[in-house]
């Protein structure tokens, strides 16, 4: 699919996703989305698969080593040479992952960055390594969210941490999405947004179920557990993060 | 030389229709594609999507009107250059406004799906482009009256 009017038909057939965290369910099911995306050419479907694989948590979770993820990202960026904005998008996403992976490693007690080339990607590797002890790795003046992420990670507030991370990723998508309206990049950015919204809606539902089960269990056992305690347990669940390298 | 000017005159005479038709076809294709896509994602209001997507069809009508106003009893060296200038430039205006109108209509349809209440106001840019086509039409008619016959 290459003619502009075909992209116009595809983009306008996709429902508006709205703001992040405002919807309890995705406005279009995976089945319907796949059906609409069948309008794309085979090459573009392949690029889209690669893009989703490298940017979504579920896609990179299959790799055992961070280095494999970094290599795969470089490969995807090479494949997307005709779409510079998508290349930048993948690069920016990998840099965000690197920062979160660094925060996680530091929280887990790692004293120094070590050989960051083995698990990091992008422009900030040198700064992260040089400013390992700084809460925001010396990048807080133009990425204030890193210090906030550090605080949330130290506090063990996983849900707030993921909200913050997803907000950053959504901002990146908004930035590149504003540059494209009816083309392949616009479709790809829509799908990346959809993946996040869909994942968050499922994540929210799972948490609600866990919380309900915890409340029911507490009531049946007649324990004195207060709701506050249940809430604390809920927040400290170790569900897999939506973002971040597999470190 | 005279034959060349006469050829240009005939070229200019038909240009508003031909270029206007291309602009209308292109614009309607863009707007129509958006309307078709929007219908896939909507449960109603199909008529308004299709209706606005046909807006660029006015350019070819203006082109036909210009062609009739330029028509002379004969095309010769005296009027060939005037026919060429007025016809080609007004036709080019119809071509560009038709295509651009299709683009802004596609954007309007797309935006109004997310926010239905802006449907009316989102058509304002397309209406402004229509106004530019009308300017080109009116002044082509005015100038057509002063072409030496």
């Amino acid at each position: 699919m290459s003619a502009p009017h075909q992209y116009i038909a595809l983009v306008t057939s996709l429902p508006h996703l709205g703001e992040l965290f405002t919807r309890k369910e995705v406005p279009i099911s995976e089945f319907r989305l796949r059906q609409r995306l069948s309008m794309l050419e085979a090459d573009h479907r392949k690029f889209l698969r690669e893009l989703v694989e490298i940017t979504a948590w579920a896609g990179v979770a299959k790799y055992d080593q961070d280095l494999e993820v970094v290599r795969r990202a470089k490969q995807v960026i090479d494949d997307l040479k005709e779409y510079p904005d998508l290349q930048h998008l993948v690069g920016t996403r990998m840099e965000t992952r690197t920062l979160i992976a660094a925060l996680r490693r530091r929280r887990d007690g790692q004293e120094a960055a070590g050989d960051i080339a083995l698990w990091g990607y992008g422009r900030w590797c040198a700064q992260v390594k040089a400013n390992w002890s700084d809460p925001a790795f010396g990048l807080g003046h133009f990425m204030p969210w890193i210090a906030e992420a550090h605080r949330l990670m130290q506090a063990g507030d996983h849900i707030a941490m993921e909200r913050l991370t997803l907000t950053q990723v959504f901002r990146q998508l908004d930035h590149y999405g504003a540059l494209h309206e009816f083309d392949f990049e616009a479709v790809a950015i829509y799908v990346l947004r959809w993946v996040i919204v869909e994942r968050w809606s499922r994540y929210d539902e799972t948490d609600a179920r866990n919380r309900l089960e915890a409340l029911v269990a507490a009531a049946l056992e007649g324990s004195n557990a207060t709701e506050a305690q249940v809430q604390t347990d809920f927040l400290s669940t170790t569900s897999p993060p939506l973002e971040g390298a597999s470190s | 030389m005279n034959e060349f000017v006469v050829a240009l005159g005939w070229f200019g005479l038909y240009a508003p229709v031909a270029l206007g038709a291309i602009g209308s076809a292109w614009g309607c294709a863009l707007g129509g594609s958006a309307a078709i896509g929007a219908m896939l994602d909507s449960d109603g209001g199909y008529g308004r999507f299709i209706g606005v997507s046909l807006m660029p069809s006015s350019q070819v009508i203006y082109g036909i009107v210009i062609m009739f106003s330029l028509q002379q009893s004969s095309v010769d060296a005296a009027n060939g250059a005037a026919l060429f200038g007025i016809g080609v430039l007004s036709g080019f205006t119809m071509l560009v406004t038709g295509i651009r109108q299709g683009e802004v209509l596609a954007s309007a349809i797309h935006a109004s799906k997310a926010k239905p209440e802006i449907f009316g106001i989102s058509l304002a840019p397309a209406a402004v482009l229509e106004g530019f086509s009308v300017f080109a039409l009116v002044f082509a008619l005015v100038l057509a009256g002063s072409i030496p016959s």
Side-chain angles (χ1 to χ4, degrees):
Chain A
M1 190 171 77
S2 55
H5 65 271
Q6 289 174 312
Y7 276 110
I8 289 176
L10 175 55
V11 171
T12 52
S13 74
L14 301 171
H16 184 55
L17 289 175
E19 297 295 315
L20 186 59
F21 312 126
T22 56
R23 282 183 181 271
K24 287 183 180 171
E25 57 187 33
V26 282
I28 180 169
S29 68
E30 187 176 348
F31 174 76
R32 284 265 178 233
L33 183 60
R34 282 181 189 279
Q35 208 175 34
R36 303 272 161 87
L37 294 176
S38 64
M39 292 162 81
L40 290 171
E41 282 176 359
D43 277 357
H44 285 168
R45 281 205 295 271
K46 175 181 161 278
F47 289 150
L48 195 54
R49 264 197 306 275
E50 289 184 336
L51 198 57
V52 171
E53 181 205 350
I54 202 62
T55 52
W57 169 256
V60 296
K62 68 183 178 194
Y63 296 104
D64 295 329
Q65 300 292 322
D66 292 334
L67 190 57
E68 291 175 47
V69 180
V70 173
R71 280 194 190 129
R72 181 71 184 128
K74 285 177 179 167
Q75 201 179 357
V76 171
I77 287 172
D78 282 346
D79 288 349
L80 291 169
K81 57 182 177 297
E82 287 175 43
Y83 306 100
D85 281 338
L86 293 182
Q87 285 182 316
H88 293 151
L89 188 59
V90 174
T92 310
R93 192 73 168 270
M94 289 300 293
E95 287 169 354
T96 305
R97 276 217 178 107
T98 298
L99 293 168
I100 293 166
L103 288 169
R104 199 172 288 139
R105 281 166 180 262
R106 194 169 59 185
R107 180 204 60 190
D108 293 344
Q110 196 167 313
E111 297 288 330
D115 189 358
I116 199 167
L118 293 176
W119 57 270
Y121 176 94
R123 294 167 289 177
W124 316 125
C125 287
Q127 280 92 331
V128 169
K129 191 169 183 172
N131 300 285
W132 187 254
S133 57
D134 183 81
F137 303 114
L139 299 166
H141 53 291
F142 70 103
M143 284 196 278
W145 67 268
I146 303 175
E148 176 67 4
H150 167 77
R151 189 186 66 74
L152 294 171
M153 203 173 268
Q154 295 300 322
D157 193 345
H158 300 293
I159 290 185
M161 173 66 199
E162 286 180 11
R163 283 182 77 102
L164 179 68
T165 311
L166 291 179
T167 303
Q168 291 309 313
V169 173
F170 235 65
R171 276 186 192 153
Q172 290 164 8
L173 291 171
D174 282 344
H175 170 74
Y176 289 103
L179 306 174
H180 300 276
E181 193 174 17
F182 299 119
D183 52 15
F184 174 62
E185 289 92 327
V187 175
I189 289 167
Y190 180 91
V191 173
L192 296 182
R193 278 199 183 117
W194 181 90
V195 168
I196 293 174
V197 171
E198 193 270 345
R199 180 72 196 233
W200 180 259
S201 68
R202 278 199 288 131
Y203 186 82
D204 236 13
E205 188 189 331
T206 310
D207 283 341
R209 197 183 306 122
N210 289 345
R211 183 158 183 252
L212 182 65
E213 282 169 6
L215 285 168
V216 170
L220 288 175
E221 287 168 16
S223 75
N224 293 328
T226 62
E227 190 177 344
Q229 181 59 44
V230 174
Q231 178 73 7
T232 309
D233 293 340
F234 160 59
L235 289 174
S236 62
T237 51
T238 52
S239 54
L242 302 181
E243 285 303 312
S246 54
S247 57
Chain B
M1 182 64 185
N2 280 357
E3 287 79 7
F4 181 65
V5 176
V6 170
L8 287 182
W10 281 106
F11 188 83
L13 192 57
Y14 193 64
V17 179
L19 296 175
I22 294 170
S24 290
W26 200 326
C28 285
L30 296 173
S33 299
I36 291 165
M39 285 192 288
L40 277 175
D41 183 42
S42 309
D43 295 325
Y46 306 139
R48 66 178 189 169
F49 289 139
I50 287 292
V52 297
S53 74
L54 299 177
M55 218 174 177
S57 55
S58 56
Q59 272 75 5
V60 68
I61 298 169
Y62 300 155
I64 291 169
V65 174
I66 293 170
M67 185 199 74
F68 279 123
S69 72
L70 293 177
Q71 206 172 17
Q72 308 288 316
S73 53
S74 69
V75 177
D76 52 32
N79 59 21
L83 293 175
F84 178 78
I86 298 170
V88 168
L89 290 177
S90 60
F92 185 69
T93 306
M94 300 305 159
L95 172 69
V96 174
T97 53
I99 295 170
R100 294 297 184 194
Q101 206 173 39
E103 289 173 356
V104 295
L105 285 171
S107 297
I109 290 170
H110 184 46
S112 64
K113 263 174 61 243
K115 223 174 172 182
E117 66 271 22
I118 64 163
F119 183 73
I121 195 75
S122 68
L123 299 178
V128 171
L129 284 167
E130 189 71 25
F132 294 147
S133 300
V134 173
F135 283 155
L137 165 70
V138 169
F139 288 100
L141 297 181
V142 170
L143 286 178
S146 53
I147 295 174
S149 53

